[in-house]
Amino acid sequence: MATTDTDLIIAGGGLAGATLALALSRAVPDLRVTVVESFPLSPDAVPDDYQPSYDSRSTALAWGSRLIFEELGLWQRLSEHATPIQHIHVSDRGRFGATRLDAESHGQPALGYVADNRWMGLCLMRELLDTGVQWQAPGEVVDMTPIAGGVDVAIKQNSEVRSLTAQCLVVADGGRSGLRETLGFQTRQQAYGQNALIANVSTSDSHRFTAYERFTDAGPMALLPHGSASLAGSQSALVWTLTDQDLEQVLSLSDPEKCRRLQDRFGWRLGRFTHIGQCNHYPLTLTTVDEPVRAGVALVGNAAHALHPVAGQGFNLALRGLMTLVEQFRVAHASGQSIGDLSVLRRYQELHRQDWQQTVQFSDSLIRVFGDSSVPVLAARDAGLVGLDLLPGAKRWFARKAMGTGGRRAVIHSPGSASREQMEHE
Ligand SMILES: Cc1cc2nc3c(=O)[nH]c(=O)nc-3n(C[C@H](O)[C@H](O)[C@H](O)COP(=O)(O)OP(=O)(O)OC[C@H]3O[C@@H](n4cnc5c(N)ncnc54)[C@H](O)[C@@H]3O)c2cc1C
């Protein structure tokens, strides 16, 4: 094998890149990993304190993601500020169909959890402090050239570009991945013609640990239980889908007017909307890459697939993909094969393909079916939601999708645990 400066370079230290680095430090501790992150964000620069913020963005973590974080030894810390989802309520505004999922009926304490992205980032950084992962931040991966036995990666730091060689480059630079374009990966993009407005809201009634998914004629919305215990269950994280025109109009409203508009769209299941925090918004596009690997390079996280956020699947899917990749790296490294070898990366792609295709289809069809207001589709929606409620088999299928668990399990091995089981989608 050719001699390289490091074994693996990860471009992007966001949720996906940092989780991959941590998982590798657990499963293949002697693999040399360097993370390059364009923000001045590194394990050495984490604040000591964490105050849950009313205005921070959060992520719904599926039950399967909790299991992965347990495997990584991260869950105990993360759970300090994770709000459990004990019930999921799916409904259609103005229609009679609705379905409910309860953790209890699946014999679990929760169907999933809601955690602030900032808190997840902080937990990851604190865990990474005690590992051998090298961190270069701020620094930007600007290009990559294939070389014999690996890749030569161009990194820009303080306006100087220098090169670092590795067996493999993992691109984890997010949904608007500049590197994906620079390296010429073919993407498929489908704009939904909608935006996600994100904000934390307060309500007069407690959420009682319920996540609401509500489909309206103007687009889907989700309200996830959120916030510290001191808020006594009165805070939820809102994902509200709006057309460009509606978004502009909603943003121009005062906060009490926004609450009234929200009330009209969502209804009274949480009582009165009393407060809305800082609003952030994102244009919604489904981005997928059919061939996310080539010799020496793999795309992961949002760089590989960016989904509509209302079904809360993007990061959960990314996590399962990361664990599949880690396992392929572990096996290759143990047998003396280069981790950038095309056969290693292709195997990862094959093992992950069915999961991402099914998850993309699940969240995309949810948006399309519930975004269609033609009469037959409305009737089918009513029948579908009622049917889900009445048919235990259909409901279990829906629950498995929501919980990020499935039938097929792949065994992954790491030092200290002879066989670890990783949940994978069917
Ligand atoms: C509104 C919204 C709500 C969501 N809600 C959910 C949810 O409830 N559940 C769920 O599972 N998923 C959810 N998602 C998806 C989830 O947020 C993403 O899957 C996750 O954040 C992806 O992380 P990432 O690390 O791939 O990308 P990012 O978080 O974008 O991180 C990319 C990192 O790369 C760095 N970077 C960029 N370019 C370079 C470069 N050239 N060199 C070095 N570093 C670089 C950036 O600074 C950044 O830190 C949501 C997404 C959105 C938009």
Side-chain angles (χ1 to χ4, degrees), residues 11-17 36-39 41 57-60 117 139-141 172-175 179 196 198 224 282 300-303 309 312-316:
L15 287 178
V36 183
E37 163 56 46
S38 44
F39 273 93
L41 169 88
R57 240 186 71 185
S58 53
T59 295
N117 289 9
E140 197 187 341
V141 172
D173 64 345
L179 270 175
I198 308 295
L224 310 171
Y282 306 83
V300 299
N302 268 22
Q313 298 279 329
F315 182 59
N316 294 302

Side-chain angles (χ1 to χ4, degrees), residues 357-373:
Q357 284 179 338
Q358 286 188 355
T359 307
V360 165
Q361 199 183 6
F362 171 69
S363 57
D364 187 52
S365 52
L366 215 59
I367 309 312
R368 292 194 191 285
V369 168
F370 286 93
D372 188 335
S373 55

Side-chain angles (χ1 to χ4, degrees), residues 180-201:
R180 187 180 57 204
E181 311 307 321
T182 305
L183 303 181
F185 280 91
Q186 294 286 316
T187 55
R188 279 194 220 210
Q189 295 204 319
Q190 259 177 285
Y192 285 107
Q194 290 178 324
N195 305 275
L197 182 144
I198 308 295
N200 290 330
V201 296

